[in-house]
């Protein structure tokens, strides 16, 4: 079986085309993988920045909550002092009425 030059060249062209398409697919896949990695890194960075911002917001809310708690404690103490003063004034009015 003799292989004709035409068959050999046709086979060689098919082999070159197959290799070229294989390399094109491999390079495309490589580029897509690289793009995926880069886009995922960007997404991670974005999420890290968002998380840091949310941490700052949470810390500020915690600070405000602590401040509000202290204010409420102070208001409660003031209210208790006022109730004590009110009781004392009522008691003094009672003593004043008895002495008249």
């Amino acid at each position: 079986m003799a292989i004709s030059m035409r068959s050999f060249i046709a086979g060689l062209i098919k082999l070159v085309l197959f290799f070229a398409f294989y390399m094109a697919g491999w390079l495309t896949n490589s580029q897509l993988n690289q793009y995926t990695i880069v886009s995922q890194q960007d997404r991670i960075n974005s999420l890290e920045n968002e998380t840091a911002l949310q941490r700052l917001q949470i810390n500020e809310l915690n600070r405000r909550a602590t401040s509000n708690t202290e204010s409420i404690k102070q208001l409660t103490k003031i209210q208790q002092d006022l109730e004590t003063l009110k009781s004392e004034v009522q008691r003094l009015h009672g003593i004043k009425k008895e002495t008249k």
Side-chain angles (χ1 to χ4, degrees):
M1 281 186 62
I3 299 176
S4 70
M5 187 58 103
R6 187 176 209 175
S7 295
F8 177 74
I9 292 175
L12 190 60
I13 290 172
K14 286 180 185 178
L15 180 65
V16 168
L17 284 175
F18 174 78
F19 182 73
F21 278 112
Y22 176 80
M23 288 304 295
W26 183 81
L27 289 172
T28 301
N29 186 42
S30 175
Q31 287 293 87
L32 285 174
N33 286 340
Q34 186 64 29
Y35 172 75
T36 301
I37 290 169
V38 169
S39 66
Q40 291 299 326
Q41 287 173 338
D42 289 344
R43 180 74 175 136
I44 289 169
N45 289 336
S46 171
L47 289 173
E48 285 175 345
N49 291 338
E50 187 175 332
T51 301
L53 178 63
Q54 288 175 348
R55 257 191 217 115
L56 290 174
Q57 291 171 340
I58 288 169
N59 289 341
E60 177 61 20
L61 288 173
N62 284 335
R63 187 192 65 74
R64 285 185 187 174
T66 302
S67 176
N68 287 344
T69 301
E70 291 300 317
S71 296
I72 289 172
K73 286 178 184 177
Q74 289 174 352
L75 287 173
T76 302
K77 183 167 180 355
I78 290 169
Q79 184 180 18
Q80 290 170 349
D81 290 346
L82 286 173
E83 289 296 324
T84 303
L85 287 173
K86 182 178 171 184
S87 302
E88 194 65 28
V89 167
Q90 286 175 350
R91 186 180 67 77
L92 289 173
H93 277 294
I95 291 173
K96 185 178 177 184
K97 287 181 184 178
E98 290 174 8
T99 58
K100 283 188 176 181

